[in-house]
Amino acid sequence: MTDVTDPGRARLYEELALESRRYLVAYVLFNQAVADHLGLHPTDVQCLSLLTAEPEPLTVRQIADRTGLTTGSATRLVDRLERGGYVTRTPDRQDRRRVLVTPVPERLARVTALWDDLGQTWQTLLDDHSEDELRAITRHLRRAHDLGHTQVQRLRAMARPD
């Protein structure tokens, strides 16, 4: 366990907490700007990001679980994406009761092109980092992702405050 009584370390934690909050706000605003540019809802953009980050197609239930939406809201989200041509629903060959949501590569290309264009600029933030620093950043993001999922589950299990 790290000594949080060390004043220098405590200041670094405070600075990191502040910068993390600022980063998250900037990301939310960035996601909104991407969605506005594409004429989509921010949740739709996040769902497309989720679908392209997964190795296999997801079910609506899995999308609901991973986004925190109800299955009804996730169904409406998939309906919007399907109407826009971004995804298709296909029967699961392993379980005919399930339907898989699959991104449509040709339609997703307009989103990917925008992400790629903007991503080149984001890449410059990492150019001056050593390989060890990049590994540390990657490790931190992976651990933050996992902790975030754990904290979401914890929050969903808690009673709401009055």
Side-chain angles (χ1 to χ4, degrees), residues 83-110:
R83 277 192 307 273
Y86 290 98
V87 300
T88 59
R89 287 180 168 108
T90 55
D92 185 342
R93 291 182 184 165
Q94 308 299 335
D95 182 347
R96 297 178 69 191
R97 297 167 296 175
R98 292 177 6 142
V99 174
L100 300 174
V101 179
T102 306
V104 175
E106 299 80 23
R107 184 69 169 146
L108 202 59
R110 72 187 284 246

PDB file of all heavy atoms in Angstrom, residues 83-110:
ATOM      1  N   ARG A  83     -31.590   1.546 -38.508  1.00  0.00           N
ATOM      2  CA  ARG A  83     -32.227   2.450 -39.475  1.00  0.00           C
ATOM      3  C   ARG A  83     -31.189   3.299 -40.200  1.00  0.00           C
ATOM      4  O   ARG A  83     -31.336   3.601 -41.377  1.00  0.00           O
ATOM      5  CB  ARG A  83     -33.241   3.365 -38.778  1.00  0.00           C
ATOM      6  CG  ARG A  83     -34.593   2.742 -38.571  1.00  0.00           C
ATOM      7  CD  ARG A  83     -35.641   3.760 -38.158  1.00  0.00           C
ATOM      8  NE  ARG A  83     -35.282   4.581 -37.014  1.00  0.00           N
ATOM      9  CZ  ARG A  83     -35.484   4.251 -35.736  1.00  0.00           C
ATOM     10  NH1 ARG A  83     -36.055   3.104 -35.431  1.00  0.00           N
ATOM     11  NH2 ARG A  83     -35.120   5.075 -34.779  1.00  0.00           N
ATOM     12  N   GLY A  84     -30.125   3.675 -39.479  1.00  0.00           N
ATOM     13  CA  GLY A  84     -29.069   4.470 -40.092  1.00  0.00           C
ATOM     14  C   GLY A  84     -28.111   3.661 -40.941  1.00  0.00           C
ATOM     15  O   GLY A  84     -27.212   4.221 -41.575  1.00  0.00           O
ATOM     16  N   GLY A  85     -28.274   2.342 -40.931  1.00  0.00           N
ATOM     17  CA  GLY A  85     -27.415   1.477 -41.734  1.00  0.00           C
ATOM     18  C   GLY A  85     -26.093   1.135 -41.074  1.00  0.00           C
ATOM     19  O   GLY A  85     -25.208   0.572 -41.713  1.00  0.00           O
ATOM     20  N   TYR A  86     -25.932   1.456 -39.787  1.00  0.00           N
ATOM     21  CA  TYR A  86     -24.667   1.220 -39.093  1.00  0.00           C
ATOM     22  C   TYR A  86     -24.508  -0.207 -38.589  1.00  0.00           C
ATOM     23  O   TYR A  86     -23.393  -0.675 -38.397  1.00  0.00           O
ATOM     24  CB  TYR A  86     -24.516   2.183 -37.911  1.00  0.00           C
ATOM     25  CG  TYR A  86     -24.288   3.598 -38.331  1.00  0.00           C
ATOM     26  CD1 TYR A  86     -25.339   4.509 -38.367  1.00  0.00           C
ATOM     27  CD2 TYR A  86     -23.022   4.046 -38.713  1.00  0.00           C
ATOM     28  CE1 TYR A  86     -25.134   5.824 -38.760  1.00  0.00           C
ATOM     29  CE2 TYR A  86     -22.809   5.350 -39.107  1.00  0.00           C
ATOM     30  CZ  TYR A  86     -23.879   6.229 -39.129  1.00  0.00           C
ATOM     31  OH  TYR A  86     -23.667   7.520 -39.532  1.00  0.00           O
ATOM     32  N   VAL A  87     -25.632  -0.893 -38.320  1.00  0.00           N
ATOM     33  CA  VAL A  87     -25.579  -2.256 -37.804  1.00  0.00           C
ATOM     34  C   VAL A  87     -26.658  -3.096 -38.474  1.00  0.00           C
ATOM     35  O   VAL A  87     -27.618  -2.560 -39.046  1.00  0.00           O
ATOM     36  CB  VAL A  87     -25.777  -2.318 -36.268  1.00  0.00           C
ATOM     37  CG1 VAL A  87     -24.702  -1.522 -35.539  1.00  0.00           C
ATOM     38  CG2 VAL A  87     -27.171  -1.867 -35.856  1.00  0.00           C
ATOM     39  N   THR A  88     -26.455  -4.398 -38.392  1.00  0.00           N
ATOM     40  CA  THR A  88     -27.501  -5.343 -38.802  1.00  0.00           C
ATOM     41  C   THR A  88     -27.737  -6.295 -37.650  1.00  0.00           C
ATOM     42  O   THR A  88     -26.855  -6.510 -36.807  1.00  0.00           O
ATOM     43  CB  THR A  88     -27.100  -6.158 -40.051  1.00  0.00           C
ATOM     44  OG1 THR A  88     -25.899  -6.881 -39.760  1.00  0.00           O
ATOM     45  CG2 THR A  88     -26.896  -5.271 -41.259  1.00  0.00           C
ATOM     46  N   ARG A  89     -28.917  -6.848 -37.640  1.00  0.00           N
ATOM     47  CA  ARG A  89     -29.243  -7.912 -36.693  1.00  0.00           C
ATOM     48  C   ARG A  89     -29.213  -9.226 -37.471  1.00  0.00           C
ATOM     49  O   ARG A  89     -29.824  -9.333 -38.518  1.00  0.00           O
ATOM     50  CB  ARG A  89     -30.637  -7.687 -36.112  1.00  0.00           C
ATOM     51  CG  ARG A  89     -30.730  -6.565 -35.118  1.00  0.00           C
ATOM     52  CD  ARG A  89     -32.175  -6.481 -34.637  1.00  0.00           C
ATOM     53  NE  ARG A  89     -32.320  -5.620 -33.482  1.00  0.00           N
ATOM     54  CZ  ARG A  89     -32.901  -4.426 -33.516  1.00  0.00           C
ATOM     55  NH1 ARG A  89     -33.387  -3.944 -34.645  1.00  0.00           N
ATOM     56  NH2 ARG A  89     -33.008  -3.714 -32.411  1.00  0.00           N
ATOM     57  N   THR A  90     -28.475 -10.184 -36.919  1.00  0.00           N
ATOM     58  CA  THR A  90     -28.389 -11.486 -37.572  1.00  0.00           C
ATOM     59  C   THR A  90     -28.625 -12.581 -36.536  1.00  0.00           C
ATOM     60  O   THR A  90     -28.204 -12.437 -35.386  1.00  0.00           O
ATOM     61  CB  THR A  90     -27.015 -11.703 -38.236  1.00  0.00           C
ATOM     62  OG1 THR A  90     -26.002 -11.517 -37.250  1.00  0.00           O
ATOM     63  CG2 THR A  90     -26.789 -10.747 -39.383  1.00  0.00           C
ATOM     64  N   PRO A  91     -29.277 -13.674 -36.936  1.00  0.00           N
ATOM     65  CA  PRO A  91     -29.482 -14.776 -35.989  1.00  0.00           C
ATOM     66  C   PRO A  91     -28.144 -15.380 -35.569  1.00  0.00           C
ATOM     67  O   PRO A  91     -27.228 -15.498 -36.369  1.00  0.00           O
ATOM     68  CB  PRO A  91     -30.298 -15.798 -36.790  1.00  0.00           C
ATOM     69  CG  PRO A  91     -30.815 -15.066 -37.980  1.00  0.00           C
ATOM     70  CD  PRO A  91     -29.887 -13.929 -38.235  1.00  0.00           C
ATOM     71  N   ASP A  92     -28.059 -15.740 -34.306  1.00  0.00           N
ATOM     72  CA  ASP A  92     -26.877 -16.413 -33.781  1.00  0.00           C
ATOM     73  C   ASP A  92     -26.920 -17.866 -34.253  1.00  0.00           C
ATOM     74  O   ASP A  92     -27.885 -18.578 -33.990  1.00  0.00           O
ATOM     75  CB  ASP A  92     -26.877 -16.339 -32.256  1.00  0.00           C
ATOM     76  CG  ASP A  92     -25.623 -16.909 -31.628  1.00  0.00           C
ATOM     77  OD1 ASP A  92     -24.884 -17.664 -32.302  1.00  0.00           O
ATOM     78  OD2 ASP A  92     -25.378 -16.603 -30.451  1.00  0.00           O
ATOM     79  N   ARG A  93     -25.898 -18.315 -34.943  1.00  0.00           N
ATOM     80  CA  ARG A  93     -25.866 -19.689 -35.473  1.00  0.00           C
ATOM     81  C   ARG A  93     -25.774 -20.716 -34.355  1.00  0.00           C
ATOM     82  O   ARG A  93     -26.197 -21.853 -34.518  1.00  0.00           O
ATOM     83  CB  ARG A  93     -24.695 -19.861 -36.432  1.00  0.00           C
ATOM     84  CG  ARG A  93     -24.871 -19.086 -37.708  1.00  0.00           C
ATOM     85  CD  ARG A  93     -23.708 -19.323 -38.637  1.00  0.00           C
ATOM     86  NE  ARG A  93     -23.845 -18.491 -39.822  1.00  0.00           N
ATOM     87  CZ  ARG A  93     -22.876 -18.260 -40.657  1.00  0.00           C
ATOM     88  NH1 ARG A  93     -21.698 -18.798 -40.473  1.00  0.00           N
ATOM     89  NH2 ARG A  93     -23.083 -17.484 -41.707  1.00  0.00           N
ATOM     90  N   GLN A  94     -25.201 -20.310 -33.210  1.00  0.00           N
ATOM     91  CA  GLN A  94     -25.040 -21.227 -32.072  1.00  0.00           C
ATOM     92  C   GLN A  94     -26.326 -21.347 -31.251  1.00  0.00           C
ATOM     93  O   GLN A  94     -26.598 -22.384 -30.668  1.00  0.00           O
ATOM     94  CB  GLN A  94     -23.905 -20.752 -31.155  1.00  0.00           C
ATOM     95  CG  GLN A  94     -22.597 -20.478 -31.852  1.00  0.00           C
ATOM     96  CD  GLN A  94     -22.026 -21.712 -32.533  1.00  0.00           C
ATOM     97  OE1 GLN A  94     -22.306 -22.834 -32.148  1.00  0.00           O
ATOM     98  NE2 GLN A  94     -21.243 -21.503 -33.573  1.00  0.00           N
ATOM     99  N   ASP A  95     -27.100 -20.266 -31.196  1.00  0.00           N
ATOM    100  CA  ASP A  95     -28.321 -20.231 -30.389  1.00  0.00           C
ATOM    101  C   ASP A  95     -29.373 -19.434 -31.156  1.00  0.00           C
ATOM    102  O   ASP A  95     -29.339 -18.206 -31.173  1.00  0.00           O
ATOM    103  CB  ASP A  95     -28.026 -19.583 -29.030  1.00  0.00           C
ATOM    104  CG  ASP A  95     -29.233 -19.565 -28.111  1.00  0.00           C
ATOM    105  OD1 ASP A  95     -30.368 -19.815 -28.570  1.00  0.00           O
ATOM    106  OD2 ASP A  95     -29.048 -19.274 -26.915  1.00  0.00           O
ATOM    107  N   ARG A  96     -30.282 -20.108 -31.792  1.00  0.00           N
ATOM    108  CA  ARG A  96     -31.245 -19.459 -32.687  1.00  0.00           C
ATOM    109  C   ARG A  96     -32.184 -18.506 -31.957  1.00  0.00           C
ATOM    110  O   ARG A  96     -32.868 -17.719 -32.591  1.00  0.00           O
ATOM    111  CB  ARG A  96     -32.031 -20.524 -33.452  1.00  0.00           C
ATOM    112  CG  ARG A  96     -31.098 -21.340 -34.350  1.00  0.00           C
ATOM    113  CD  ARG A  96     -31.803 -22.416 -35.080  1.00  0.00           C
ATOM    114  NE  ARG A  96     -32.689 -21.823 -36.086  1.00  0.00           N
ATOM    115  CZ  ARG A  96     -33.593 -22.487 -36.748  1.00  0.00           C
ATOM    116  NH1 ARG A  96     -33.763 -23.769 -36.516  1.00  0.00           N
ATOM    117  NH2 ARG A  96     -34.342 -21.893 -37.639  1.00  0.00           N
ATOM    118  N   ARG A  97     -32.231 -18.572 -30.617  1.00  0.00           N
ATOM    119  CA  ARG A  97     -33.069 -17.644 -29.862  1.00  0.00           C
ATOM    120  C   ARG A  97     -32.429 -16.262 -29.759  1.00  0.00           C
ATOM    121  O   ARG A  97     -33.095 -15.288 -29.454  1.00  0.00           O
ATOM    122  CB  ARG A  97     -33.324 -18.177 -28.445  1.00  0.00           C
ATOM    123  CG  ARG A  97     -34.102 -19.486 -28.411  1.00  0.00           C
ATOM    124  CD  ARG A  97     -34.039 -20.096 -27.047  1.00  0.00           C
ATOM    125  NE  ARG A  97     -32.640 -20.438 -26.749  1.00  0.00           N
ATOM    126  CZ  ARG A  97     -32.206 -20.914 -25.601  1.00  0.00           C
ATOM    127  NH1 ARG A  97     -33.038 -21.111 -24.609  1.00  0.00           N
ATOM    128  NH2 ARG A  97     -30.941 -21.198 -25.422  1.00  0.00           N
ATOM    129  N   ARG A  98     -31.143 -16.198 -29.997  1.00  0.00           N
ATOM    130  CA  ARG A  98     -30.401 -14.939 -29.850  1.00  0.00           C
ATOM    131  C   ARG A  98     -30.209 -14.251 -31.189  1.00  0.00           C
ATOM    132  O   ARG A  98     -30.080 -14.902 -32.222  1.00  0.00           O
ATOM    133  CB  ARG A  98     -29.023 -15.196 -29.228  1.00  0.00           C
ATOM    134  CG  ARG A  98     -29.087 -15.644 -27.821  1.00  0.00           C
ATOM    135  CD  ARG A  98     -27.747 -15.974 -27.179  1.00  0.00           C
ATOM    136  NE  ARG A  98     -26.557 -15.709 -27.940  1.00  0.00           N
ATOM    137  CZ  ARG A  98     -25.424 -15.246 -27.423  1.00  0.00           C
ATOM    138  NH1 ARG A  98     -25.336 -14.989 -26.149  1.00  0.00           N
ATOM    139  NH2 ARG A  98     -24.369 -15.052 -28.176  1.00  0.00           N
ATOM    140  N   VAL A  99     -30.139 -12.930 -31.125  1.00  0.00           N
ATOM    141  CA  VAL A  99     -29.865 -12.120 -32.307  1.00  0.00           C
ATOM    142  C   VAL A  99     -28.600 -11.318 -32.023  1.00  0.00           C
ATOM    143  O   VAL A  99     -28.448 -10.726 -30.947  1.00  0.00           O
ATOM    144  CB  VAL A  99     -31.048 -11.177 -32.614  1.00  0.00           C
ATOM    145  CG1 VAL A  99     -30.704 -10.238 -33.754  1.00  0.00           C
ATOM    146  CG2 VAL A  99     -32.296 -11.981 -32.937  1.00  0.00           C
ATOM    147  N   LEU A 100     -27.698 -11.322 -32.976  1.00  0.00           N
ATOM    148  CA  LEU A 100     -26.430 -10.609 -32.831  1.00  0.00           C
ATOM    149  C   LEU A 100     -26.489  -9.278 -33.561  1.00  0.00           C
ATOM    150  O   LEU A 100     -27.052  -9.179 -34.654  1.00  0.00           O
ATOM    151  CB  LEU A 100     -25.284 -11.457 -33.382  1.00  0.00           C
ATOM    152  CG  LEU A 100     -25.089 -12.807 -32.691  1.00  0.00           C
ATOM    153  CD1 LEU A 100     -24.032 -13.621 -33.420  1.00  0.00           C
ATOM    154  CD2 LEU A 100     -24.722 -12.609 -31.230  1.00  0.00           C
ATOM    155  N   VAL A 101     -25.874  -8.283 -32.965  1.00  0.00           N
ATOM    156  CA  VAL A 101     -25.787  -6.955 -33.560  1.00  0.00           C
ATOM    157  C   VAL A 101     -24.387  -6.822 -34.141  1.00  0.00           C
ATOM    158  O   VAL A 101     -23.389  -6.919 -33.418  1.00  0.00           O
ATOM    159  CB  VAL A 101     -26.051  -5.849 -32.514  1.00  0.00           C
ATOM    160  CG1 VAL A 101     -25.933  -4.473 -33.140  1.00  0.00           C
ATOM    161  CG2 VAL A 101     -27.427  -6.056 -31.866  1.00  0.00           C
ATOM    162  N   THR A 102     -24.337  -6.628 -35.446  1.00  0.00           N
ATOM    163  CA  THR A 102     -23.065  -6.602 -36.164  1.00  0.00           C
ATOM    164  C   THR A 102     -22.898  -5.260 -36.868  1.00  0.00           C
ATOM    165  O   THR A 102     -23.803  -4.816 -37.582  1.00  0.00           O
ATOM    166  CB  THR A 102     -23.036  -7.724 -37.224  1.00  0.00           C
ATOM    167  OG1 THR A 102     -23.329  -8.967 -36.571  1.00  0.00           O
ATOM    168  CG2 THR A 102     -21.696  -7.798 -37.914  1.00  0.00           C
ATOM    169  N   PRO A 103     -21.744  -4.597 -36.688  1.00  0.00           N
ATOM    170  CA  PRO A 103     -21.506  -3.340 -37.408  1.00  0.00           C
ATOM    171  C   PRO A 103     -21.431  -3.577 -38.919  1.00  0.00           C
ATOM    172  O   PRO A 103     -20.973  -4.629 -39.370  1.00  0.00           O
ATOM    173  CB  PRO A 103     -20.149  -2.865 -36.892  1.00  0.00           C
ATOM    174  CG  PRO A 103     -19.837  -3.700 -35.711  1.00  0.00           C
ATOM    175  CD  PRO A 103     -20.631  -4.961 -35.822  1.00  0.00           C
ATOM    176  N   VAL A 104     -21.890  -2.602 -39.684  1.00  0.00           N
ATOM    177  CA  VAL A 104     -21.808  -2.656 -41.148  1.00  0.00           C
ATOM    178  C   VAL A 104     -20.552  -1.875 -41.551  1.00  0.00           C
ATOM    179  O   VAL A 104     -20.510  -0.651 -41.413  1.00  0.00           O
ATOM    180  CB  VAL A 104     -23.071  -2.040 -41.796  1.00  0.00           C
ATOM    181  CG1 VAL A 104     -22.925  -1.987 -43.309  1.00  0.00           C
ATOM    182  CG2 VAL A 104     -24.317  -2.810 -41.372  1.00  0.00           C
ATOM    183  N   PRO A 105     -19.519  -2.584 -42.012  1.00  0.00           N
ATOM    184  CA  PRO A 105     -18.236  -1.928 -42.277  1.00  0.00           C
ATOM    185  C   PRO A 105     -18.326  -0.730 -43.221  1.00  0.00           C
ATOM    186  O   PRO A 105     -17.688   0.301 -42.977  1.00  0.00           O
ATOM    187  CB  PRO A 105     -17.378  -3.039 -42.888  1.00  0.00           C
ATOM    188  CG  PRO A 105     -17.990  -4.299 -42.395  1.00  0.00           C
ATOM    189  CD  PRO A 105     -19.463  -4.024 -42.270  1.00  0.00           C
ATOM    190  N   GLU A 106     -19.109  -0.849 -44.285  1.00  0.00           N
ATOM    191  CA  GLU A 106     -19.178   0.249 -45.259  1.00  0.00           C
ATOM    192  C   GLU A 106     -19.767   1.514 -44.632  1.00  0.00           C
ATOM    193  O   GLU A 106     -19.298   2.615 -44.891  1.00  0.00           O
ATOM    194  CB  GLU A 106     -20.031  -0.164 -46.467  1.00  0.00           C
ATOM    195  CG  GLU A 106     -19.498  -1.358 -47.239  1.00  0.00           C
ATOM    196  CD  GLU A 106     -19.832  -2.694 -46.575  1.00  0.00           C
ATOM    197  OE1 GLU A 106     -20.799  -2.762 -45.786  1.00  0.00           O
ATOM    198  OE2 GLU A 106     -19.100  -3.656 -46.833  1.00  0.00           O
ATOM    199  N   ARG A 107     -20.791   1.352 -43.821  1.00  0.00           N
ATOM    200  CA  ARG A 107     -21.421   2.521 -43.179  1.00  0.00           C
ATOM    201  C   ARG A 107     -20.561   3.031 -42.028  1.00  0.00           C
ATOM    202  O   ARG A 107     -20.480   4.228 -41.789  1.00  0.00           O
ATOM    203  CB  ARG A 107     -22.816   2.135 -42.683  1.00  0.00           C
ATOM    204  CG  ARG A 107     -23.582   3.274 -42.094  1.00  0.00           C
ATOM    205  CD  ARG A 107     -23.960   4.274 -43.173  1.00  0.00           C
ATOM    206  NE  ARG A 107     -24.912   5.221 -42.631  1.00  0.00           N
ATOM    207  CZ  ARG A 107     -24.960   6.481 -42.977  1.00  0.00           C
ATOM    208  NH1 ARG A 107     -24.130   6.948 -43.898  1.00  0.00           N
ATOM    209  NH2 ARG A 107     -25.844   7.280 -42.444  1.00  0.00           N
ATOM    210  N   LEU A 108     -19.929   2.112 -41.331  1.00  0.00           N
ATOM    211  CA  LEU A 108     -19.073   2.487 -40.216  1.00  0.00           C
ATOM    212  C   LEU A 108     -17.821   3.221 -40.692  1.00  0.00           C
ATOM    213  O   LEU A 108     -17.181   3.939 -39.918  1.00  0.00           O
ATOM    214  CB  LEU A 108     -18.680   1.226 -39.445  1.00  0.00           C
ATOM    215  CG  LEU A 108     -18.236   1.403 -38.009  1.00  0.00           C
ATOM    216  CD1 LEU A 108     -19.328   2.059 -37.183  1.00  0.00           C
ATOM    217  CD2 LEU A 108     -17.847   0.074 -37.425  1.00  0.00           C
ATOM    218  N   ALA A 109     -17.514   3.078 -41.973  1.00  0.00           N
ATOM    219  CA  ALA A 109     -16.314   3.719 -42.525  1.00  0.00           C
ATOM    220  C   ALA A 109     -16.333   5.230 -42.331  1.00  0.00           C
ATOM    221  O   ALA A 109     -15.287   5.834 -42.103  1.00  0.00           O
ATOM    222  CB  ALA A 109     -16.170   3.371 -44.007  1.00  0.00           C
ATOM    223  N   ARG A 110     -17.522   5.863 -42.390  1.00  0.00           N
ATOM    224  CA  ARG A 110     -17.562   7.319 -42.193  1.00  0.00           C
ATOM    225  C   ARG A 110     -17.211   7.687 -40.753  1.00  0.00           C
ATOM    226  O   ARG A 110     -16.568   8.709 -40.510  1.00  0.00           O
ATOM    227  CB  ARG A 110     -18.906   7.897 -42.621  1.00  0.00           C
ATOM    228  CG  ARG A 110     -20.076   7.595 -41.707  1.00  0.00           C
ATOM    229  CD  ARG A 110     -21.412   8.067 -42.283  1.00  0.00           C
ATOM    230  NE  ARG A 110     -21.605   9.481 -42.176  1.00  0.00           N
ATOM    231  CZ  ARG A 110     -22.527  10.058 -41.419  1.00  0.00           C
ATOM    232  NH1 ARG A 110     -23.352   9.327 -40.704  1.00  0.00           N
ATOM    233  NH2 ARG A 110     -22.636  11.362 -41.374  1.00  0.00           N
TER     234      ARG A 110
END
